[in-house]
Amino acid sequence: MSGTTRIISQARIEGRKVLLETEAKTICVEYRIPVTSFSLAKNESEAAKFAEQIGFPVVLKVVSPHIIHKSDAGGVMLNLNSTGAVRSAYSKIIENAKRYDSTAQIVGVLVQEMAPQSTEVIVGAIKDSQFGQTLMFGLGGIFVELLKDVAFRIAPVTEAEALAMMTEVKAYPLLKGYRNSPPADVKAIADVILNTSRLVMDYPDIKELDLNPVMAYEKGVKTVDARIILE
Ligand code: ADP
Ligand code: MG
């Protein structure tokens, strides 16, 4: 049984439709979608130990099946540069999460490498009642959320279609390099779209997938947040 099948069946057994970030990122790895390195800590000391193994700076995030938008819950702390900072971030995140939703089950805190700032893109999939698995591409931040500058294709897509999704969005010139920002690795972004296409075609019970954001570099990409919701 593949790792992805095992993760999805386990969520079903537990009656969960929302996969945890750890689970979604493990699936990404199986589908050759690059993600930040990560370890799930259950207490402050573990978080400090994992941070040392991963290397500073690190990011800490709440892991809870009941908290989908982690930032809204004060559940994301970036750029932590010492074990002391990691320890206090751990308890702060738990405290914030409890204040946000006192009934939320907290699985732990995810320690991950802090990906350098870059152009952020979003790759998503939604299962449309009419068209089935549909892929989405856009640039991060205001482009998708405010300007709705996105491209859609029905899955599965070819590499040419994946590239066309990118050139279609109005913000595309930003990917080609702008003032001081270097051009992004368009081929690596296309690979993320293609691998996402493969994933949602293999698992028709994925209702929603969100890689938001994916950091796009001059060479390569890194997914810093992944969310998968089952039917
Ligand atoms: P959520 O979308 O659930 O609020 P995210 O995991 O997307 O939480 O984190 C919020 C923001 O923090 C991201 O959009 C990104 O800008 C930044 N971020 C999160 N994880 C990392 C990371 N590992 N490295 C760098 N930046 C990150
Ligand atoms: Mg996010």
Side-chain angles (χ1 to χ4, degrees), residues 61 68-71 210-213 224-227:
K61 294 187 201 176
I68 297 181
H69 299 286
K70 301 174 289 287
S71 313
D210 236 320
L211 308 179
N212 180 10
V224 308
D225 185 24
R227 185 153 62 95

PDB file of all heavy atoms in Angstrom, residues 61 68-71 210-213 224-227, ligand 2:
ATOM      1  N   LYS A  61       4.577  25.699  13.801  1.00  0.00           N
ATOM      2  CA  LYS A  61       3.163  25.803  13.421  1.00  0.00           C
ATOM      3  C   LYS A  61       2.323  24.825  14.218  1.00  0.00           C
ATOM      4  O   LYS A  61       2.721  23.671  14.425  1.00  0.00           O
ATOM      5  CB  LYS A  61       2.975  25.442  11.941  1.00  0.00           C
ATOM      6  CG  LYS A  61       3.606  26.393  10.986  1.00  0.00           C
ATOM      7  CD  LYS A  61       3.205  26.008   9.579  1.00  0.00           C
ATOM      8  CE  LYS A  61       4.183  26.567   8.588  1.00  0.00           C
ATOM      9  NZ  LYS A  61       3.849  26.128   7.228  1.00  0.00           N
ATOM     10  N   ILE A  68      -7.776  25.085  10.602  1.00  0.00           N
ATOM     11  CA  ILE A  68      -7.411  25.011   9.183  1.00  0.00           C
ATOM     12  C   ILE A  68      -6.553  26.206   8.792  1.00  0.00           C
ATOM     13  O   ILE A  68      -5.575  26.068   8.071  1.00  0.00           O
ATOM     14  CB  ILE A  68      -8.679  24.907   8.308  1.00  0.00           C
ATOM     15  CG1 ILE A  68      -9.416  23.599   8.654  1.00  0.00           C
ATOM     16  CG2 ILE A  68      -8.317  24.918   6.830  1.00  0.00           C
ATOM     17  CD1 ILE A  68     -10.659  23.352   7.845  1.00  0.00           C
ATOM     18  N   HIS A  69      -6.935  27.396   9.268  1.00  0.00           N
ATOM     19  CA  HIS A  69      -6.145  28.588   8.956  1.00  0.00           C
ATOM     20  C   HIS A  69      -5.287  28.923  10.168  1.00  0.00           C
ATOM     21  O   HIS A  69      -5.725  29.595  11.095  1.00  0.00           O
ATOM     22  CB  HIS A  69      -7.059  29.745   8.550  1.00  0.00           C
ATOM     23  CG  HIS A  69      -7.858  29.410   7.326  1.00  0.00           C
ATOM     24  ND1 HIS A  69      -7.271  29.372   6.079  1.00  0.00           N
ATOM     25  CD2 HIS A  69      -9.144  29.052   7.157  1.00  0.00           C
ATOM     26  CE1 HIS A  69      -8.183  29.012   5.195  1.00  0.00           C
ATOM     27  NE2 HIS A  69      -9.332  28.812   5.814  1.00  0.00           N
ATOM     28  N   LYS A  70      -4.078  28.417  10.133  1.00  0.00           N
ATOM     29  CA  LYS A  70      -3.202  28.442  11.305  1.00  0.00           C
ATOM     30  C   LYS A  70      -2.828  29.852  11.738  1.00  0.00           C
ATOM     31  O   LYS A  70      -2.793  30.137  12.931  1.00  0.00           O
ATOM     32  CB  LYS A  70      -1.943  27.614  11.009  1.00  0.00           C
ATOM     33  CG  LYS A  70      -2.252  26.153  10.669  1.00  0.00           C
ATOM     34  CD  LYS A  70      -1.017  25.390  10.244  1.00  0.00           C
ATOM     35  CE  LYS A  70      -0.464  25.768   8.895  1.00  0.00           C
ATOM     36  NZ  LYS A  70      -1.242  25.320   7.732  1.00  0.00           N
ATOM     37  N   SER A  71      -2.579  30.759  10.750  1.00  0.00           N
ATOM     38  CA  SER A  71      -2.189  32.134  11.111  1.00  0.00           C
ATOM     39  C   SER A  71      -3.296  32.830  11.883  1.00  0.00           C
ATOM     40  O   SER A  71      -3.027  33.560  12.840  1.00  0.00           O
ATOM     41  CB  SER A  71      -1.857  32.972   9.884  1.00  0.00           C
ATOM     42  OG  SER A  71      -1.031  32.283   9.022  1.00  0.00           O
ATOM     43  N   ASP A 210      -4.486  22.448  -1.521  1.00  0.00           N
ATOM     44  CA  ASP A 210      -3.983  23.813  -1.525  1.00  0.00           C
ATOM     45  C   ASP A 210      -2.500  23.799  -1.182  1.00  0.00           C
ATOM     46  O   ASP A 210      -2.152  23.450  -0.056  1.00  0.00           O
ATOM     47  CB  ASP A 210      -4.709  24.584  -0.397  1.00  0.00           C
ATOM     48  CG  ASP A 210      -5.410  25.803  -0.922  1.00  0.00           C
ATOM     49  OD1 ASP A 210      -4.841  26.475  -1.784  1.00  0.00           O
ATOM     50  OD2 ASP A 210      -6.544  26.056  -0.451  1.00  0.00           O
ATOM     51  N   LEU A 211      -1.660  24.144  -2.126  1.00  0.00           N
ATOM     52  CA  LEU A 211      -0.243  24.334  -1.812  1.00  0.00           C
ATOM     53  C   LEU A 211      -0.070  25.846  -1.790  1.00  0.00           C
ATOM     54  O   LEU A 211       0.014  26.483  -2.843  1.00  0.00           O
ATOM     55  CB  LEU A 211       0.649  23.679  -2.871  1.00  0.00           C
ATOM     56  CG  LEU A 211       0.345  22.214  -3.185  1.00  0.00           C
ATOM     57  CD1 LEU A 211       1.280  21.686  -4.267  1.00  0.00           C
ATOM     58  CD2 LEU A 211       0.423  21.346  -1.940  1.00  0.00           C
ATOM     59  N   ASN A 212      -0.119  26.409  -0.587  1.00  0.00           N
ATOM     60  CA  ASN A 212      -0.245  27.862  -0.460  1.00  0.00           C
ATOM     61  C   ASN A 212       0.480  28.380   0.770  1.00  0.00           C
ATOM     62  O   ASN A 212      -0.070  28.315   1.860  1.00  0.00           O
ATOM     63  CB  ASN A 212      -1.729  28.233  -0.413  1.00  0.00           C
ATOM     64  CG  ASN A 212      -1.946  29.726  -0.277  1.00  0.00           C
ATOM     65  OD1 ASN A 212      -1.014  30.514  -0.390  1.00  0.00           O
ATOM     66  ND2 ASN A 212      -3.191  30.107  -0.023  1.00  0.00           N
ATOM     67  N   PRO A 213       1.671  28.943   0.580  1.00  0.00           N
ATOM     68  CA  PRO A 213       2.329  29.189  -0.711  1.00  0.00           C
ATOM     69  C   PRO A 213       3.389  28.146  -1.060  1.00  0.00           C
ATOM     70  O   PRO A 213       3.817  27.362  -0.212  1.00  0.00           O
ATOM     71  CB  PRO A 213       3.025  30.523  -0.449  1.00  0.00           C
ATOM     72  CG  PRO A 213       3.392  30.454   1.005  1.00  0.00           C
ATOM     73  CD  PRO A 213       2.333  29.618   1.687  1.00  0.00           C
ATOM     74  N   VAL A 224       5.723  25.535   1.337  1.00  0.00           N
ATOM     75  CA  VAL A 224       5.824  25.762   2.783  1.00  0.00           C
ATOM     76  C   VAL A 224       4.530  25.439   3.517  1.00  0.00           C
ATOM     77  O   VAL A 224       4.530  25.242   4.723  1.00  0.00           O
ATOM     78  CB  VAL A 224       6.334  27.187   3.136  1.00  0.00           C
ATOM     79  CG1 VAL A 224       7.623  27.503   2.395  1.00  0.00           C
ATOM     80  CG2 VAL A 224       5.315  28.249   2.884  1.00  0.00           C
ATOM     81  N   ASP A 225       3.412  25.372   2.800  1.00  0.00           N
ATOM     82  CA  ASP A 225       2.149  24.998   3.449  1.00  0.00           C
ATOM     83  C   ASP A 225       1.330  24.131   2.496  1.00  0.00           C
ATOM     84  O   ASP A 225       1.207  24.469   1.321  1.00  0.00           O
ATOM     85  CB  ASP A 225       1.351  26.258   3.832  1.00  0.00           C
ATOM     86  CG  ASP A 225       0.094  25.927   4.624  1.00  0.00           C
ATOM     87  OD1 ASP A 225       0.044  24.853   5.261  1.00  0.00           O
ATOM     88  OD2 ASP A 225      -0.848  26.750   4.609  1.00  0.00           O
ATOM     89  N   ALA A 226       0.809  23.034   3.004  1.00  0.00           N
ATOM     90  CA  ALA A 226       0.008  22.127   2.181  1.00  0.00           C
ATOM     91  C   ALA A 226      -1.234  21.703   2.949  1.00  0.00           C
ATOM     92  O   ALA A 226      -1.167  21.378   4.133  1.00  0.00           O
ATOM     93  CB  ALA A 226       0.830  20.893   1.803  1.00  0.00           C
ATOM     94  N   ARG A 227      -2.379  21.773   2.257  1.00  0.00           N
ATOM     95  CA  ARG A 227      -3.648  21.406   2.887  1.00  0.00           C
ATOM     96  C   ARG A 227      -4.396  20.480   1.936  1.00  0.00           C
ATOM     97  O   ARG A 227      -4.483  20.751   0.733  1.00  0.00           O
ATOM     98  CB  ARG A 227      -4.451  22.692   3.112  1.00  0.00           C
ATOM     99  CG  ARG A 227      -5.724  22.546   3.855  1.00  0.00           C
ATOM    100  CD  ARG A 227      -6.054  23.844   4.567  1.00  0.00           C
ATOM    101  NE  ARG A 227      -6.240  24.945   3.630  1.00  0.00           N
ATOM    102  CZ  ARG A 227      -7.427  25.321   3.159  1.00  0.00           C
ATOM    103  NH1 ARG A 227      -8.513  24.712   3.544  1.00  0.00           N
ATOM    104  NH2 ARG A 227      -7.512  26.324   2.311  1.00  0.00           N
TER     105      ARG A 227
HETATM  106 MG    MG B   2      -1.052  28.793   3.941  1.00  0.00          MG
END
